[in-house]
Amino acid sequence: MSANEMRVFLRHDGSIRNDPGPPLNKLYESITIKTSSEEYVFNGRSDTARGALDYIRLAHAKHGTATSKDKACHAAIKADKGAVAHIVFKDG
């Protein structure tokens, strides 16, 4: 993994396990979330990686901005009791 990449683990509810803090507040290019059976790729949904992960974490609630992809990803994370998120940050 290069300096502009990070891997974080998500709990069954989509929250971040061992949250790395400020590094997630950087601009990102893509986030790939992998469960044992599914892979979801997110680009440009939010300015920061933390914001994008929040959309997925809140997708189970009646959150007005949750897309069907957010909901499907959240359901897959819940069913798998967690997931891995691979984040590629923008340079600079």
Side-chain angles (χ1 to χ4, degrees):
M1 231 178 317
S2 73
N4 68 336
E5 296 179 42
M6 177 182 282
R7 184 173 300 149
V8 295
F9 296 94
L10 304 176
R11 293 185 182 104
H12 72 283
D13 63 354
S15 63
I16 302 164
R17 187 171 46 141
N18 298 325
D19 192 323
L24 287 180
N25 298 333
K26 297 190 310 188
L27 300 176
Y28 76 99
E29 283 184 25
S30 68
I31 297 175
T32 303
I33 296 179
K34 293 181 183 181
T35 66
S36 63
S37 60
E38 302 280 341
E39 181 173 301
Y40 297 89
V41 178
F42 296 88
N43 302 347
R45 178 72 192 277
S46 172
D47 288 342
T48 67
R50 182 176 305 284
L53 291 171
D54 281 346
Y55 280 114
I56 297 159
R57 181 179 57 81
L58 296 172
H60 71 287
K62 294 184 186 226
H63 199 262
T65 57
T67 66
S68 58
K69 184 177 176 182
D70 295 334
K71 292 176 185 178
C73 183
H74 186 275
I77 293 168
K78 185 175 181 178
D80 232 24
K81 295 182 174 60
V84 176
H86 180 84
I87 305 164
V88 178
F89 294 100
K90 291 186 178 180
D91 291 329

